[in-house]
Amino acid sequence: MPDVLEDRIRLQVELALSDCTACAESRGEQEDLARTAGLSGAEIDAARRGRCFDIRANAAVVLACAVRSSSAKPEATHKAALTAQARRAGLNDAEIDAVYAIAEFNRPTIGKEHST
């Protein structure tokens, strides 16, 4: 899929979806990429908490977190409401589809357990 989302928005979505248990090296690399894209430390911290200062980025992050946290794929009515909210914030259909794709890729799979 071509890069549809601006780097800043894509990185904020990825930061929001990254697990708290991600290794320090991965988190460091992610933070370096975010800083290279122009995100401040406060923006990085906010994205990791699932919020953004920019309205378009915030809509993308809220959408991605809602999709990922749902135990199953969102029902059509819920998906329509999430999509409408993202559109009102200024995301276009291609950007919304890209957010859904990122969130689906990062969705935990059922039965996926950590082995001991």
Side-chain angles (χ1 to χ4, degrees), residues 31-94:
E31 187 169 321
D32 289 344
L33 288 171
R35 287 189 185 283
T36 299
L39 293 172
S40 69
E43 288 172 310
I44 292 168
D45 291 343
R48 287 188 198 257
R49 288 189 307 272
R51 294 287 177 221
C52 299
F53 303 129
D54 174 78
I55 191 167
R56 291 180 71 242
N58 194 63
V61 164
V62 168
L63 175 62
C65 289
V67 170
R68 183 173 187 249
S69 68
S70 176
S71 60
K73 290 189 178 183
E75 296 177 19
T77 54
H78 185 61
K79 186 174 179 177
L82 291 170
T83 300
Q85 182 179 359
R87 264 195 210 110
R88 283 191 300 274
L91 295 175
N92 64 41
D93 289 338

